Amino acid sequence: MSCIPRLTIMLRACGYRMTSQRHAILQALHDGGHLSPAQIYQRVESTGMTEATVYRTLEFLAENGILLVADRGNGHLAYELSGESHHHIICRTCGAQMEVDPALLAPAISQMESETGYHLNAGHLTFFGLCPLCKQKPQERA
Amino acid sequence: MSCIPRLTIMLRACGYRMTSQRHAILQALHDGGHLSPAQIYQRVESTGMTEATVYRTLEFLAENGILLVADRGNGHLAYELSGESHHHIICRTCGAQMEVDPALLAPAISQMESETGYHLNAGHLTFFGLCPLCKQKPQERA
DNA sequence: ATAAATGCAAATAGTTTGCATGCCC
DNA sequence: GGGCATGCAAACTATTTGCATTTAT
């Protein structure tokens, strides 16, 4: 069910190559969804790939629009397959994540655009808060 | 016009101290508004303060609610004085920043809350896009 | 064949920590 | 005076880079 054949064609059209390492990283992101470089490395480590390759590949794929760079809000980047635009909410207490339909933000974004004159690329935002469970028992230390 | 005397009292009430280093960092953030650890260090370097102290102080002030941690979206954190809740838009091309009234997002946020069950702390968000100038001449390399 | 991509290893940047000393209250 | 805070230096983590080699096309 992976879209990797299509990505392979895209890359070749630009003179780039689909390698086993790129394939493994794309597969990891297809399975994992929203991962940091370290998490990706964990998942592909068994292939013998280097961390340097992970970083280089992520940068390459992001430059070519195949990955989106998201931000975990903790000072580190995360990556995921581009395509379905959506946002994340992360619980500050337990770390639970869920996706948010971008349609919910669309009105606010177009209003921000008209007020500021900026054109926003709000491709992938991360919000923070408390999940339903954690907001009941306030401030139980993780 | 600085609120440092008030912050001093807050700290003392918790048994903490207002030092020249903390004062300098607060002043830098008061003037600079929205700065990374490295930018803050640049501004206070002349006092002889160490980078370690900058990091420790920022963490301390953020823990005590005096600073907000924001996210530049580039994998690094930024800090600013808490108080006025607001958001930022940063131009991807030229780096220009502007503030956004949080009222614009309030409806979207309450809708997200009711759909997801999460309680959001959307204290400080960073959006990315193109500023009015840069969106006219598309993709002129910085 | 040839240019792109990888591995290896070292360099760099950013951040954190331990401990002795200094300074605020 | 007592304890919080800082400086110093080293450790640690995350990320980047150069160069020789491998590999996809």
Side-chain angles (χ1 to χ4, degrees), chain A residues 54-126:
Chain A
V54 172
Y55 282 104
R56 272 188 295 221
T57 302
L58 291 173
E59 187 181 358
F60 168 83
L61 293 171
E63 270 175 4
N64 286 280
I66 293 168
L67 299 183
L68 287 178
V69 182
D71 202 299
R72 284 258 165 90
N74 58 358
H76 294 269
L77 298 176
Y79 293 83
E80 81 183 322
L81 292 174
S82 65
E84 332 83 63
S85 155
H86 63 271
H87 310 297
H88 290 268
I89 301 183
I90 302 182
C91 175
R92 281 191 201 280
T93 301
C94 70
Q97 298 190 16
M98 73 175 295
E99 294 192 5
V100 180
D101 183 347
L104 290 182
L105 276 169
I109 285 173
S110 59
Q111 197 178 350
M112 283 172 61
E113 287 183 326
S114 61
E115 294 223 5
T116 63
Y118 277 57
H119 169 70
L120 292 181
N121 321 122
H124 190 146
L125 300 172
T126 304

Side-chain angles (χ1 to χ4, degrees), chain B residues 29 32-36 39 70 72 78-80 88 90 97 124 126:
Chain B
L29 286 164
H34 192 226
L35 303 172
S36 67
Q39 289 173 312
R72 283 258 166 88
Y79 292 83
E80 79 183 323
H88 289 267
I90 301 181
Q97 298 190 15
H124 189 146
T126 304

Side-chain angles (χ1 to χ4, degrees), chain A residues 121-138:
Chain A
N121 321 122
H124 190 146
L125 300 172
T126 304
F127 294 87
F128 295 88
L130 293 178
C131 73
L133 267 65
C134 293
K135 82 180 175 189
Q136 287 173 3
K137 19 183 167 171

Side-chain angles (χ1 to χ4, degrees), chain B residues 2 14 20 35-37 48 83 117:
Chain B
S2 120
C14 304
S20 65
L35 303 172
S36 67

Side-chain angles (χ1 to χ4, degrees), chain B:
Chain B
M1 202 47 47
S2 120
C3 44
I4 292 180
R6 186 175 54 78
L7 296 175
T8 304
I9 291 169
M10 281 178 54
L11 286 183
R12 287 191 186 156
C14 304
Y16 300 125
R17 297 170 189 178
M18 178 56 68
T19 63
S20 65
Q21 291 86 345
R22 288 178 182 173
H23 190 288
I25 287 177
L26 289 167
Q27 190 64 50
L29 286 164
H30 181 265
D31 299 341
H34 192 226
L35 303 172
S36 67
Q39 289 173 312
I40 293 165
Y41 178 64
Q42 281 173 20
R43 287 173 178 245
V44 299
E45 197 172 6
S46 56
T47 68
M49 192 183 325
T50 321
E51 283 173 287
T53 300
V54 172
Y55 282 103
R56 271 187 295 219
T57 302
L58 292 173
E59 188 182 357
F60 168 83
L61 294 172
E63 270 175 3
N64 286 281
I66 293 168
L67 301 183
L68 287 178
V69 182
D71 201 301
R72 283 258 166 88
N74 58 358
H76 293 269
L77 299 176
Y79 292 83
E80 79 183 323
L81 292 174
S82 66
E84 332 84 62
S85 154
H86 63 271
H87 311 298
H88 289 267
I89 302 183
I90 301 181
C91 175
R92 280 190 202 281
T93 302
C94 71
Q97 298 190 15
M98 73 175 294
E99 293 191 5
V100 180
D101 183 348
L104 290 181
L105 275 168
I109 285 174
S110 60
Q111 197 177 350
M112 283 171 61
E113 286 185 326
S114 61
E115 294 223 4
T116 64
Y118 277 58
H119 169 70
L120 293 181
N121 320 123
H124 189 146
L125 301 171
T126 304
F127 293 89
F128 294 88
L130 293 177
C131 72
L133 268 65
C134 293
K135 82 180 176 190
Q136 287 173 2
K137 20 183 167 172
Q139 302 312 58
E140 191 168 287
R141 218 59 199 106

Side-chain angles (χ1 to χ4, degrees), chain A residues 23-52:
Chain A
H23 190 286
I25 286 177
L26 289 167
Q27 191 65 50
L29 286 164
H30 181 265
D31 299 342
H34 193 227
L35 302 172
S36 67
Q39 290 174 310
I40 293 165
Y41 178 65
Q42 281 174 19
R43 288 173 178 245
V44 299
E45 198 172 6
S46 56
T47 68
M49 191 183 327
T50 322
E51 283 174 288

